[in-house]
Amino acid sequence: MTLTQNPGDGRAPCGAGSRTDVSPRTDPYTRSDPFDRPPEHEVAWTDPVTGARGWLVVHTLVGGLATGGTRMRAGCTRDEVADLARCMATKTAAFGLPVGGAKAGLDLDPRSPGALGVLERFFADLRPWLERSWVTAEDLGVAQSDLDAVFTRLGLDQSFHAAMLRSPNPAATLERVRRGLAARDGDGLPLGDVIGGYGVAQACLAAATALGSDPARATVAIQGVGTMGGGAAWYLHEAGVRVTAIADAAGTLFHPRGLDIPALLAARDHYGEIDRAAVPADVEVLPRDAVLAAPVDLLVPAAVSYALRAESVADIAARAVVEAANSPTTPAAEERLAVRGIPVVPDFVANAGAAAWAWWLLQGQVGTDPQDSFSRLRTEMQGKVAFMLDAWHTGHLLPRRSAWGFAAANLEALAGREITIP
């Protein structure tokens, strides 16, 4: 295991590049990303048993703490993890959370035998970070239940361990957080599993309103039906929005009058793929990337990073993109979308619901009543999206860049602040 301080820039899609093809009145397009700087800390790791590689990148510490999930996928790279850590730092700042941003990743297929053993050895070697400075959670390829099992075996209680130690009564705080995590929404779903998707749904509803559409008449296509995409689909369906296209690894399902989202989500397996035997006969089964060209108001990329590339922009028919995955749109794609008049609501706002909720829970600002959590997230998410799209319509400012503005202001306000957990 090696430790490198300030290893260099992991810049990628979260910091879209400056434009060169706009008129002088759109100069705000060239505003630089205030979070585009080298991370504060980095750990590179190699598993002594399998040779699998992993990384922890801590982009920003606030009050000595950083938060960010742990992902596992074949082909994961250091640059990917560094970019995601930077996005996480932007996300926590965008919601004014008193914590910095980090990310961890393992270059390993989560379906491979012994994957959980690799994860446990990774965390065992990173134990000093987990004990003092880094709070982690589920991410692509890693379920929260797997994290909790590994943390229990390591004697760390829960993945919020480092934050718990800031409390004057860690045992009481742990019990309060556990009660909050065990809370269920009105459909009986664990709040911690669905709050992120609920936030994406609220971002979509706000985007539809900003586009001048009645949200109940809006149409949405969602790429990915895992925790985030599936949750967004569920709550959009509940709000009366027609989800006409969804895509998993096996392909795209399309129906112009709207899909039966509850039935399709119930047919998912552990890896977020829908059993095709449960798909009604009147639903079209299309190639996986067909979801990008679906004739909808809103496109929600909720699967993998870098899914929307420059070469795919010409096929996109949506009026706006709401990013639910981490870094799903490349800088070049976002620039071309802007030329076509298609705004992108950035990931570090749209998919921040779970991170924001976890810290509200830790700080005792929400509890076991799901309506309190939904109400706060709905208010904050819709307000931020409305602000960004108003700046897009009236000031010719990319939503990502207006969001950088309020995120940077929040981070500056948090400088030097001591983090306390009640």
Side-chain angles (χ1 to χ4, degrees), residues 64-388:
L65 282 178
T67 187
T70 298
R71 67 171 39 193
M72 183 186 297
R73 74 169 189 88
C76 183
T77 67
R78 175 265 168 200
D79 286 351
E80 175 184 343
V81 176
D83 175 55
L84 294 169
R86 179 164 53 89
C87 291
M88 193 67 199
T90 316
K91 182 183 302 185
T92 59
F95 278 76
L97 305 178
V99 63
K103 204 76 175 183
L106 287 161
D107 179 8
L108 182 69
D109 186 339
R111 306 186 197 198
S112 62
L116 284 183
V118 175
L119 183 67
E120 184 168 345
R121 290 189 290 274
F122 181 61
F123 283 155
D125 282 348
L126 291 174
R127 186 179 184 120
W129 282 97
L130 292 166
E131 287 184 330
R132 297 191 302 267
S133 304
W134 174 40
V135 173
T136 192
E138 69 177 5
D139 200 276
L140 182 70
V142 178
Q144 187 64 41
S145 58
D146 294 334
L147 283 179
D148 292 342
V150 169
F151 269 72
T152 297
R153 288 196 293 272
L154 293 175
L156 292 175
D157 296 324
Q158 214 271 347
S159 62
F160 292 122
H161 182 85
M164 300 290 182
L165 296 185
R166 305 299 180 99
S167 168
N169 189 339
T173 299
L174 177 60
E175 180 57 30
R176 173 169 54 78
V177 169
R178 281 178 170 165
R179 288 197 304 269
L181 292 173
R184 294 178 179 268
D185 72 353
D187 298 302
L189 301 171
L191 191 54
D193 290 351
V194 300
I195 194 73
Y198 177 84
V200 173
Q202 294 306 312
C204 289
L205 294 173
T209 299
L211 292 171
S213 300
D214 177 357
R217 295 179 178 273
T219 54
V220 179
I222 301 177
Q223 182 197 42
V225 286
T227 299
M228 195 68 73
W234 177 274
Y235 286 110
L236 286 168
H237 179 82
E238 280 203 339
V241 175
R242 284 183 295 149
V243 180
T244 59
I246 57 174
D248 60 11
T252 295
L253 304 177
F254 176 75
H255 197 297
R257 293 192 300 276
L259 297 162
D260 184 347
I261 293 300
L264 294 176
L265 295 182
R268 288 178 300 178
D269 64 15
H270 180 70
Y271 299 100
E273 294 183 17
I274 297 168
D275 181 359
R276 288 324 193 244
V279 176
D282 62 344
V283 171
E284 285 190 77
V285 181
L286 303 171
R288 183 174 59 186
D289 289 343
V291 69
L292 302 180
V296 292
D297 294 304
L298 302 173
L299 172 62
V300 181
V304 297
S305 301
Y306 324 130
L308 300 188
R309 298 179 177 273
E311 58 268 25
S312 64
V313 167
D315 297 327
I316 292 175
R319 298 174 63 199
V321 174
V322 178
E323 295 186 323
N326 290 317
S327 299
T329 309
T330 67
E334 187 164 4
E335 291 177 359
R336 293 190 182 187
L337 287 167
V339 169
R340 292 188 54 202
I342 301 172
V344 177
V345 178
D347 55 347
F348 62 84
V349 174
N351 74 7
W357 174 76
W359 283 86
W360 296 337
L361 182 62
L362 273 168
Q363 294 176 290
Q365 297 172 1
V366 296
T368 58
D369 184 350
Q371 293 309 313
D372 290 343
S373 297
F374 287 149
S375 177
R376 177 161 184 179
L377 181 54
R378 179 172 60 251
T379 298
E380 295 214 17
M381 185 66 74
Q382 292 202 5
K384 287 175 171 57
V385 173
F387 174 86
M388 287 186 288

